[in-house]
Amino acid sequence: MENKLIYYIRKWTDITREKEADVYKAFETISVKKKQKLLIPGDTCKYIYFITQGALRSWFVDDKGVEHIYQIRLENGWISDLESFFSQRPSKYYIEALEDSKLLRISYERLEALYIQVPSLERYFRILFQKAYINALERLNSTMWESAVDRYNNMMKENKDIFQRVPLVYIASYLGITPESLSRIRKKRQV
Amino acid sequence: MENKLIYYIRKWTDITREKEADVYKAFETISVKKKQKLLIPGDTCKYIYFITQGALRSWFVDDKGVEHIYQIRLENGWISDLESFFSQRPSKYYIEALEDSKLLRISYERLEALYIQVPSLERYFRILFQKAYINALERLNSTMWESAVDRYNNMMKENKDIFQRVPLVYIASYLGITPESLSRIRKKRQV
DNA sequence: CTCATTTCTTAACATAGGTCAAGTGTTTGA
DNA sequence: TCAAACACTTGACCTATGTTAAGAAATGAG
């Protein structure tokens, strides 16, 4: 199998070849063009997406009309609005491709059925959310207590690939600062 | 059963009375006095704790010696350092009781065994972490994009009980501001 | 009941990062 | 292929929140 999804499930759980096939069959492959939107506010998020190739971002627009990016994801990551997906209620987020991308998607009903058919999947997602939660708390601590410069440096260290592929405006927003500030930080660094 | 843990598991999963008993037996009940510590930096977090009564906080100390609170939890919540617990590596956090409290605790090995014995528990924790992750992202967005005043007002609306039971110094840190700032915010409000 | 400690408030001053405005490259799509 | 849209930078100025320092109020242990 050419994608990493099955690879990760296999890594974290005991799963039979047969069940792997069930999982694989439950996902649909889709291709999206750069700038194509997978979700807009008001719509309910029908799918969660595993990225096999490409890059996507997710953001919301505040009352003043300013965009705030809360996720940037590359291949082998998941993207969705989980709150909308799991509650099956309208989302406040956009999801859009930053590059032409290839995705695996699964719907809410299909996933619920699959949890029952393949209990290892429940374990996989338990571990996935556990890690995601720990990461989110780390990002929270860093946003609350580190300076913009430190956050920039950390991201440079840990997600260098994102800087090569994603416009700085989006990275600035993801870091919680303005593009102007990011520009100044980068200027200082080079000296 | 007098505590809410089984209640929540029952609410989110299909679990038999027999398996409920297995879960119940796997947890130990402990009592802690106000100011008693359950975890200090350098130690590995041996347990996750479900609070049946009381209040606890968790924090870390930065290189300048400043305390940063990242969790405040009341009864019917969980508290732990998940990163240390799941990796079984040393923690950088403190956990301490803010009031005399009663807790249910389970060790890493015991929990891993219980997942196998009671698959519904895997589902319970999958849903728990899913919700926790969604909350952490909400808190992140609010920290990044809302003013301290808005964060204070939201917390007042959603966690009024915490204000009645926890010193403001801790709440300020949890909100990502100094006690002085919180004091100013509260003063303005009353006018 | 009382002294020590903890918690909270206030004020003067400092600063990181935001805002506004303008300008220069660089893609992109008709 | 060339205008329009996007991406990035720079500078002058502004503001929310931090820092430092002090004191008042509340709480708690002996």
Side-chain angles (χ1 to χ4, degrees), chain B residues 167-169 180 183-184 187:
Chain B
L168 292 175
V169 222
E180 293 89 339
S183 196
R184 278 187 287 250
K187 192 186 177 189

